[in-house]
Amino acid sequence: MSKLKGCDGLERKGFISRFKRLSAPTGKPLWGHAFRAVGLAILSVIIAYFIGLRQGIEIIFMVVLFASVLMDQAIPFQKSVTFSVIGFILMSLAFVSASVAHMFGLPFFIVLTIIWSFFPFTLYIFGKAEGLFGYLIFISYYTATVLIKSSTNIFDLIIYVLFAYLVASILLVWKFMQRDNYKRKMVASGFDPNTSINKIGSVRRILAGVPINESYHHLFDYGLYLTGLRNYGRTVQSRLTGKVAVLFENFLNESNSVSSAIADHIVNKKGEVNLKNFKSNLNELNLYMDEKGAESVKFLTDNFIKLFEDSNRILSGPINQNEEETVKITPLNKMSFKQVIKSRFNLDSLYIRHALRFTIAMVITLSFVFIDHSRDPAWIAMGVLIVLKPDVTSTWDNMITRVSFNLFAVILAIILAFIFPHYMLLIFALVALFFFRAFLPNYIGLSILAVSVFTVFVWPQGEVINNAAARIIDILIGSIVSIILVYGVLPKRLMINLPDQVSNVLKVNQDYSELVLSGNYDIKTATSKLETALLEYNNLESSLKKVQDTFKDVSKDLEIYKEISGACYNLTEDISAIVGYEHDSKLDFSPLIDLSSKILDVLVVAIEKDEIPEELPDMHIYSKLSDTLQEQKEIKQYFEWIVSDIYLIHYCIKKAVETGALTRYKNIN
């Protein structure tokens, strides 16, 4: 293997290393999702056959699969309903567009393809969930183009899609019945000691705007704060020595046990948790506590015991009773549609560049499908759809994964075709479809293999061996087209410097918090600063992914960087929350300006000099605020989170210096 010059001997991943990483599972198989999706698809076909919708069985089957993926996401019931309604409207329009195009000819079809290719993929600028939604919408248009070979009655098409959604909506009934269990699991996640700072931030965004019981809201706040306290506890522990260090470690371990128990009791409605052992450890720690670190330890222990006792009061009462769902978790980054478009809808965005490349590919390949509906252009277009990504590295990764697992699928399909009779192959096709949904997205390689086997067995033309060979050739052509596009259309080379990028993230957070805490700003200025912070955060995330995809043996270093990234993002969100409260309450936060002007500067200097950051002053005064703010409980909570975020960043930067992570990953081309 070759060494990358200027990167302290970092070794690039070869084909085998990349294949192993790309094939590695990222979670458990989704057996329940697969059972529901395939079961509903089969049910829809049976019902459609008996009620006279036989002409639209193919459309109904595919739309049920798409709709089930949309409805069965791990999002609250209310958001599932919203996505489902919008999905029905857009999927209906996708099939109607494919039909109407046959009335007006190829030029009109090209215009429609530009619209249906470009705009769904630009939804990624709003977030991953919106991007997945756009991806599914385009898949609907692609499917409509393949299935509809001439102008079809528009009313019939809408009936087919509506019928498919009615069948798939059984999932919504199931999610409605499970909605309380889902909320409990989300609320409990903050109490799970294994929950990362990134995950808890993701949960907070998922639940934003969703009505929940007031007791759930309190527990969710406790879990969020507890996540920060655990991380701060690591910093405090690193400062202690001797008997006190051992006792404090025992205290943290016992607090994790109690926290896990609370999470279990929230999910399963078990009532309050026994705190006897926890209090015993706390008393023993207090007996041996000396002056060194006493205030920090007391801050932690006081907060742990308060959070656990407050949680127990809720577990023993309101959470197990019926409450009206009137409380909502407030979205933190309230950006208007206009603001997002203005700041992100430009050629500097990887997603906009990706949408343009993808549109060019789809116009060319789908035009051939529209003209004669031959097999090859349809699967070449599918090859581009599943291989082309916003950047070069991800596109190469997709090519490696797709082509390799398609080759395995071809071999498996040919073996099965020789051993079993033809009628058995259709059964294997349904089984493969089931495995495809179960393995998506956590076993991406196996999901590709399964859907390829399904395709080979159900394709109506030719023998299995011919279908299999055509499948691998078409995907390979689509992959080559994707590589050409990502290199040839609006390429953008990046120079990666992780330490500098972390420093940039801290600086924009510093700038943003200084503006907010000064009180001398308007919403437009604050939004501009926020956008700058989010852009730098996204750049850091992209850089981390590039390094992970390119080099061997970097997982431990990247784990540190990811912790810093997550803490920085949470810091940005918590500062954003202060913006709304400050304008609503007209409170003066200027005495807390040191949080940005001095304390964050300690962290920036440490990164730039590659030195262990100097000890932070005791910041508990910032979370306590002034006497005039003591009644503002929600504001106080956000300042407590900000303090926890900063302590965690300090701890992670110290660890990065000690492990040498800050000396690597500089000036990577």
Side-chain angles (χ1 to χ4, degrees), residues 4 7 12 347-350 353 357 390-394 490-498 501 535 538-547 550-551 665-669:
L4 183 65
C7 296
R12 285 187 181 275
L347 291 180
D348 288 332
S349 169
L350 287 175
R353 291 166 176 258
R357 298 184 195 109
D391 60 275
V392 173
T393 303
S394 299
L490 298 173
K492 187 175 183 180
R493 295 291 180 181
L494 298 175
M495 180 70 73
I496 296 174
N497 188 320
L498 290 186
Q501 190 57 52
L535 177 61
N538 289 334
N539 289 340
L540 176 58
E541 288 290 288
S542 298
S543 298
L544 291 173
K545 188 176 187 308
K546 294 287 187 184
V547 172
T550 306
F551 300 105
Y665 317 110
K666 294 183 177 181
N667 301 322
I668 301 174
N669 191 341

Side-chain angles (χ1 to χ4, degrees), residues 390-409:
D391 60 275
V392 173
T393 303
S394 299
T395 302
W396 274 108
D397 284 348
N398 269 12
M399 181 176 180
I400 291 170
T401 309
R402 267 63 179 180
V403 174
S404 299
F405 277 97
N406 270 285
L407 180 59
F408 299 152

Side-chain angles (χ1 to χ4, degrees), residues 232-241 245 292-293 296 614-618 647 650 654:
Y232 176 43
R234 295 190 227 168
T235 302
V236 174
Q237 185 178 2
S238 67
R239 300 172 183 168
L240 302 176
T241 57
K292 183 180 179 182
S296 295
E614 64 182 69
E615 292 294 333
L616 294 176
D618 190 329
Y647 273 126
H650 183 277
K654 178 183 177 183

Side-chain angles (χ1 to χ4, degrees), residues 265 270-274 311-313 315-316 320:
H265 284 216
K270 291 183 179 179
E272 61 184 275
V273 173
N274 191 330
S311 298
N312 263 348
R313 276 192 288 273
L315 288 171
S316 63
N320 294 316

Side-chain angles (χ1 to χ4, degrees), residues 124-369:
Y124 277 103
I125 67 176
F126 296 96
K128 292 181 180 179
E130 292 82 356
L132 175 62
F133 178 76
Y135 188 86
L136 288 173
I137 293 303
F138 175 78
I139 288 286
S140 301
Y141 178 73
Y142 168 87
T143 303
T145 301
V146 172
L147 294 180
I148 298 177
K149 301 177 181 180
S150 61
S151 181
T152 306
N153 186 292
I154 293 177
F155 178 76
D156 288 343
L157 290 174
I158 296 176
I159 290 297
Y160 298 153
V161 178
L162 177 60
F163 173 75
Y165 261 83
L166 288 175
V167 175
S169 64
I170 294 174
L171 281 175
L172 291 180
V173 176
W174 178 80
K175 288 197 75 168
F176 178 78
M177 293 187 295
Q178 297 291 320
R179 69 193 187 284
D180 187 63
N181 291 338
Y182 174 83
K183 290 176 183 177
R184 284 176 176 271
K185 289 178 181 178
M186 293 294 101
V187 168
S189 61
F191 288 89
D192 183 353
N194 296 318
T195 298
S196 67
I197 201 76
N198 285 334
K199 182 178 178 181
I200 198 65
S202 174
V203 170
R204 183 163 64 175
R205 290 187 289 276
I206 288 173
L207 288 180
V210 176
I212 61 175
N213 296 344
E214 186 174 2
S215 56
Y216 288 6
H217 191 283
H218 289 315
L219 285 171
F220 185 70
D221 283 348
Y222 298 160
L224 276 170
Y225 188 36
L226 191 61
T227 304
L229 283 180
R230 285 195 206 97
N231 292 311
Y232 176 43
R234 295 190 227 168
T235 302
V236 174
Q237 185 178 2
S238 67
R239 300 172 183 168
L240 302 176
T241 57
K243 179 72 172 178
V244 173
V246 174
L247 292 175
F248 187 72
E249 183 179 7
N250 293 338
F251 167 81
L252 290 180
N253 290 336
E254 183 60 31
S255 70
N256 285 341
S257 298
V258 172
S259 188
S260 295
I262 291 176
D264 178 65
H265 284 216
I266 292 172
V267 173
N268 297 300
K269 303 182 181 181
K270 291 183 179 179
E272 61 184 275
V273 173
N274 191 330
L275 300 180
K276 183 178 179 180
N277 289 339
F278 175 78
K279 290 182 178 179
S280 175
N281 279 344
L282 176 58
N283 290 335
E284 189 176 6
L285 173 64
N286 288 335
L287 287 175
Y288 282 89
M289 196 65 231
D290 53 25
E291 290 299 320
K292 183 180 179 182
E295 187 168 356
S296 295
V297 171
K298 189 175 187 307
F299 169 77
L300 273 168
T301 55
D302 287 350
N303 275 277
F304 270 116
I305 191 66
K306 182 178 185 303
L307 287 171
F308 291 158
E309 288 178 343
D310 288 349
S311 298
N312 263 348
R313 276 192 288 273
I314 294 176
L315 288 171
S316 63
I319 194 171
N320 294 316
Q321 301 171 4
N322 293 325
E323 298 179 62
E324 293 185 6
E325 296 184 334
T326 57
V327 182
K328 292 183 179 181
I329 295 174
T330 307
L332 297 180
N333 298 326
K334 301 176 183 178
M335 293 187 63
S336 69
F337 176 81
K338 180 180 179 181
Q339 289 169 331
V340 175
I341 293 296
K342 184 177 179 180
S343 60
R344 300 177 184 173
F345 199 89
N346 54 64
L347 291 180
D348 288 332
S349 169
L350 287 175
Y351 291 120
I352 299 301
R353 291 166 176 258
H354 175 53
L356 287 171
R357 298 184 195 109
F358 184 78
T359 300
I360 293 171
M362 289 301 107
V363 166
I364 296 172
T365 54
L366 289 184
S367 292
F368 285 103
V369 175

